[in-house]
Amino acid sequence: QLIQPMCSMPGRLEVTNKCLRWRPFHLRRSEGGWEAPLGGLFRIRRRRHMQQHTAIEVVMRSNKTLLFMFDARDECDKVWGGLAKQRGDMVAEEWREWEGISRQWASGGVSNFHYLLHLNGMAHRSFSDLAQYPVFPWVVADYESASLNLDDPSTFRDLSRPIGSPSPPPPGGGVGRVGRV
């Protein structure tokens, strides 16, 4: 199945020595589907879907991502093996990249956004699956300005406080409420 944020479509995924091809079951062979040359692939990742290790995410050079879910893990492993055989250089094992990306981020070579994207990838989160959508921390406090002044500390949320308590309670306010309960 091809998994998209608001739907999934049963179909057939084929890996050839030249392309990756997917066709929905409801279309005839001549009616179309989706096909991409293997040279157009940027990265191939194993993913979970519905908490099962039965999905593969394909990232195209155009930044389009496609998430394919299989009925069984052995089917997923077979397609993964075919893709690794054809394009082993595109097969991503995020855990192997962890040390390098962490070092780059610590030295300022990678932005916070790209670092968080990588962390989400390691957690099998995908923009194609709403059940496992990437998570980003809430850090902005200014939602009224036309542009953000990144040098002004009041632009950002006080990260020493929990999200549910963005501002300090009035002096003695919390104690009084607890006493009345």
Side-chain angles (χ1 to χ4, degrees), residues 138 157-170 177:
W138 171 41
R157 175 174 89 75
D158 179 1
L159 297 177
S160 69
R161 306 197 54 76
I163 288 178
S165 177
S167 59
R177 281 191 300 239

Side-chain angles (χ1 to χ4, degrees), residues 10-164:
R12 178 180 174 87
L13 181 66
E14 300 171 353
V15 180
T16 71
N17 60 353
K18 295 181 181 175
C19 71
L20 186 65
R21 182 180 304 128
W22 180 82
R23 285 196 178 84
F25 286 142
H26 69 276
L27 294 180
R28 289 190 207 112
R29 187 175 202 98
S30 62
E31 290 181 312
W34 175 85
E35 186 173 303
L38 292 179
L41 305 182
F42 176 68
R43 183 159 288 190
I44 306 159
R45 300 176 172 135
R46 287 185 182 260
R47 289 287 180 249
R48 284 191 310 250
H49 181 68
M50 304 298 285
Q51 301 304 319
Q52 301 294 315
H53 294 274
T54 56
I56 294 174
E57 183 176 50
V58 176
V59 181
M60 307 300 297
R61 292 197 184 282
S62 64
N63 284 332
K64 179 177 182 166
T65 61
L66 300 163
L67 183 66
F68 298 100
M69 191 275 295
F70 301 88
D71 291 332
R73 187 170 182 161
D74 61 330
E75 291 177 43
C76 184
D77 291 343
K78 185 177 178 182
V79 172
W80 179 259
L83 287 167
K85 182 178 175 184
Q86 295 297 330
R87 289 304 307 261
D89 58 325
M90 297 291 113
V91 173
E93 297 285 353
E94 281 97 353
W95 61 270
R96 290 184 182 171
E97 300 169 1
W98 169 248
E99 191 174 298
I101 196 87
S102 295
R103 207 174 313 113
Q104 288 178 330
W105 175 70
S107 67
V110 174
S111 70
N112 289 344
F113 177 75
H114 285 95
Y115 181 69
L116 290 170
L117 277 178
H118 189 79
L119 288 177
N120 277 289
M122 288 182 63
H124 292 248
R125 295 188 168 277
S126 169
F127 289 105
S128 298
D129 186 357
L130 292 179
Q132 298 187 130
Y133 210 73
V135 176
F136 294 92
W138 171 41
V139 295
V140 177
D142 180 2
Y143 293 99
E144 296 175 10
S145 301
S147 63
L148 294 177
N149 178 359
L150 301 180
D151 295 323
D152 181 4
S154 67
T155 300
F156 302 100
R157 175 174 89 75
D158 179 1
L159 297 177
S160 69
R161 306 197 54 76
I163 288 178

